[in-house]
Amino acid sequence: MQEKKPALELEGKVALISGGARGIGAAIATLFETRGARVVVADISFSEERHERGRLFLPLDVSQPGAWAQTVASTLRVFGRLDILVNSAGIFTVAAIKDETPERFMRMAQINQLGVFLGMQAVLEALQASGGGSIVNLSSAAGLTGTPRTIGYSATKWAVRGMTKVAALEFAPFNIRVNSIHPAAVATPMLGDMAANAGKSTPIGRVALPEEVAELALFLASDASRYSTGSEFVCDGGLTAGSALQG
Ligand SMILES: NC(=O)c1ccc[n+]([C@@H]2O[C@H](COP(=O)([O-])OP(=O)(O)OC[C@H]3O[C@@H](n4cnc5c(N)ncnc54)[C@H](O)[C@@H]3O)[C@@H](O)[C@H]2O)c1
């Protein structure tokens, strides 16, 4: 008798990961490949297209609509299909409300918020052509609660959470699921030196590793999560569970 395929794998699927050059996106790319996916990493830090050891690297500024169209076209040219989009590209600045500038606020909105909308819009037709798919958006614990000194960043991460639900409702008829991931502090270049201290305030007492967030992304990208859409998946060491009274 033929063995049933495990649901938590990506055999035969093509995954496009924005911001995949480093940090959480890079960990997701590596894990997805080990589970059978063909992976496209698209990042502003790449200057040209490369196809190396089965992985496609594409230059992409997620805030540019034309650039997304080119990224999807290159993916289809090389791999012939697209099944998964992970919107991981993002930027983060720390500033109190009194100090935040309109320029920084709008730059975060363009990349973290507009970029996610443009990505979901750009892949729709390709996912439909594949018979469905999964979109995973990186929001944050800052998209679930208030976090001081992150007015611009938090605004974008709440927006990602909301846009995820809108897309989930619009795309469900096409068998496309859309969910958001909400990590707290993750040890990546985004946090740099802040990571060690940030981890201390979580009940688990440490920061997450990017590989731990990648495990959640794998679940959401794979058929193991086939009945989940429009939902928030938290990976925060207990940070948003509440605060214990100190006795
Ligand atoms: N690290 C954390 O503590 C943490 C916590 C919660 C949520 N997140 C979210 O997870 C995602 C990934 O974060 P990370 O920690 O891996 O960050 P990172 O800074 O390590 O990596 C981000 C990647 O995005 C790319 N990028 C930036 N602007 C871009 C643009 N305009 N177009 C395309 N690519 C662009 C960068 O070149 C980089 O490779 C982000 O959306 C972030 O907000 C991170």
Side-chain angles (χ1 to χ4, degrees):
M1 206 174 74
Q2 210 187 348
E3 238 176 73
K4 203 165 171 271
K5 270 202 320 184
L8 200 62
E9 56 88 45
L10 303 174
E11 206 61 52
K13 300 192 189 219
V14 175
L16 168 58
I17 301 163
S18 81
R22 69 179 202 191
I24 294 169
I28 291 173
T30 301
L31 181 62
F32 280 16
E33 278 172 345
T34 66
R35 297 307 178 100
R38 285 172 295 164
V39 165
V40 183
V41 291
D43 200 286
I44 199 165
S45 67
F46 300 147
S47 52
E48 58 188 3
E49 178 175 332
R50 284 184 290 135
H51 193 183
E52 254 174 47
R53 292 194 211 110
R55 186 186 289 191
L56 181 61
F57 299 82
L58 297 173
L60 169 70
D61 178 347
V62 294
S63 66
Q64 302 301 318
W68 270 108
Q70 228 179 326
T71 297
V72 173
S74 302
T75 300
L76 296 178
R77 171 172 45 79
V78 173
F79 291 133
R81 62 182 293 127
L82 181 61
D83 305 275
I84 296 157
L85 169 67
V86 180
N87 278 308
S88 189
I91 58 170
F92 171 65
T93 59
V94 179
I97 292 173
K98 69 180 173 51
D99 300 322
E100 189 53 291
T101 65
E103 292 73 25
R104 272 201 309 251
F105 187 100
M106 288 312 295
R107 188 66 191 139
M108 278 185 282
Q110 279 176 332
I111 295 171
N112 299 2
Q113 181 176 341
L114 180 68
V116 169
F117 152 60
L118 293 174
M120 295 194 295
Q121 185 181 55
V123 301
L124 175 60
E125 216 175 284
L127 296 189
Q128 279 182 276
S130 298
S134 173
I135 298 176
V136 181
N137 293 328
L138 265 297
S139 176
S140 169
L144 293 171
T145 61
T147 310
R149 299 191 304 129
T150 67
I151 188 72
Y153 182 77
S154 290
T156 66
K157 293 301 175 179
W158 278 81
V160 169
R161 181 182 174 197
M163 291 192 297
T164 297
K165 292 182 189 301
V166 174
L169 296 172
E170 287 193 22
F171 293 180
F174 310 121
N175 195 30
I176 298 167
R177 299 180 296 104
V178 192
N179 292 289
S180 54
I181 294 184
H182 300 260
V186 187
T188 71
M190 176 176 274
L191 283 198
D193 295 343
M194 287 162 53
N197 260 340
K200 285 183 195 145
S201 56
T202 67
I204 284 184
R206 63 167 177 84
V207 286
L209 299 174
E211 291 75 15
E212 291 170 320
V213 182
E215 299 275 2
L216 186 50
L218 170 64
F219 170 70
L220 293 173
S222 76
D223 294 341
S225 60
R226 60 193 165 273
Y227 201 61
S228 295
T229 196
S231 286
E232 297 100 352
F233 288 79
V234 180
C235 179
D236 70 348
L239 186 73
T240 58
S243 51
L245 287 176
Q246 301 297 320

